Amino acid sequence: MEFSFSKEEEALREMLRGFAKNTLKPQYQHWDRTHEFPREYWRKMGELGVLGVALPEKDGGSGSTAVAAGIAAEEISRGDFNMGYGVILGSLVGDILSRGATAKVRQEFLIPMLKGEKLMAIAVTEPEAGSDVRGIRSEVLRDRNGHLRLRGEKSGISLATVADGAVVAAKESDGISLFAVTLRQPGVSRKLFDDMGTRPIGRGSLYFDDIMITEEDRVGSPDQGLRSVLTGFDLSRVLIGLQSIGAALESLEETITYVKEREAFGKTLAEFQGVGFTLAERYADLELLRWYCYRALWLQDQGLPHAAESAICKWRAPRAAVDAIHDCLII
Ligand SMILES: Cc1cc2nc3c(=O)[nH]c(=O)nc-3n(C[C@H](O)[C@H](O)[C@H](O)COP(=O)(O)OP(=O)(O)OC[C@H]3O[C@@H](n4cnc5c(N)ncnc54)[C@H](O)[C@@H]3O)c2cc1C
């Protein structure tokens, strides 16, 4: 058993912690309050290789491990939870495109996406089909001139209102297929959700009104769409876990600094056991899940199955993070 990070992974952590602390964190509240999407800093993440950490270098990725992608998700989210989406979506969409995209799609979307020049959404969920991906209704049909047409509605899509393109899941006669389409064209419309949080990432709905697509836009073979999305979710679920844990650990550290300084009734807040016990308990929960997430990523790096582990990460880590941040707010 080996529980340590490699030298390269430690160096990545240190570099990203500095970037998150000095560059992202000071602006986090501004972006959150104005709902402004920080495109310039997204591009900066592309320059740092954060948008395609575990993707092959030949596709413009950093050629590193899934564990390194986890480090990126955790560290970026310490500075700005919303920017953590860059790591997650870059890994998920990047992996799908890297495996199945045509030369045209690689040039048009994959390479600029990894540089942070284009934003790519993944559009699977629909109003009537979330966890039950097979239940989607969006479809691709041939019109009477033989052209492929995409129609349907996607809902709850991260970056929906700011993305340049999207990988869209739609039904065909063979099953569920994926297509990479530009969102900047007639026949595509968008609607912003009034979310309670993560507002800069512009989550919302996408509507496709019989837009014309071609075989070159297809990603993977016609019946492989569902499989590549579900395989991709095995990684993105763990990254979401580490995104949540990163933000919560940062909150915890801020709170620990605060309770060591603030005094009440003649001593620091840290000296009250009611405060110390709460923070210790939350730290323990986060630390346990943090290592569980890295184990899931290690399994991915070994090419071993990890669907159950990644589901546990997505289920438990955000919950532990919410509890920790809530306690930090109360203290
Ligand atoms: C922050 C955020 C970002 C997202 N970004 C994206 C994105 O970029 N792209 C994308 O495609 N999607 C995205 N989603 C959508 C997300 O993937 C869906 O929310 C998820 O698939 C679950 O679908 P659902 O919300 O429709 O709920 P579902 O899980 O489909 O549930 C619908 C209803 O059925 C019930 N239900 C479900 N399963 C069962 C069961 N087994 N037994 C009994 N009742 C059940 C639920 O309780 C609920 O009432 C995002 C969601 C969030 C919250």
Side-chain angles (χ1 to χ4, degrees), residues 237-280:
R237 287 188 176 118
V238 188
L239 298 181
I240 289 169
L242 284 164
Q243 176 193 30
S244 309
I245 287 174
L249 284 172
E250 190 68 17
S251 279
L252 216 55
E253 282 178 18
E254 285 173 5
T255 307
I256 289 168
T257 304
Y258 168 74
V259 299
K260 281 182 178 167
E261 287 168 359
R262 180 72 156 88
E263 291 188 3
F265 306 103
K267 52 185 179 179
T268 63
L269 299 187
E271 289 173 82
F272 290 94
Q273 285 191 327
V275 171
F277 285 163
T278 302
L279 293 176

Side-chain angles (χ1 to χ4, degrees), residues 6 58 66 69 128 165 167 199 210 218 221 226 248 271 273-274 287 289 291 303 310 328 330:
S6 69
K58 69 172 173 50
E128 304 294 328
V167 172
R199 286 171 293 221
D210 280 328
R218 187 185 290 284
S221 60
L226 184 61
E271 289 173 82
Q273 285 191 327
E287 191 62 6
L289 283 158
W291 279 104
S310 81
C328 289
I330 290 173

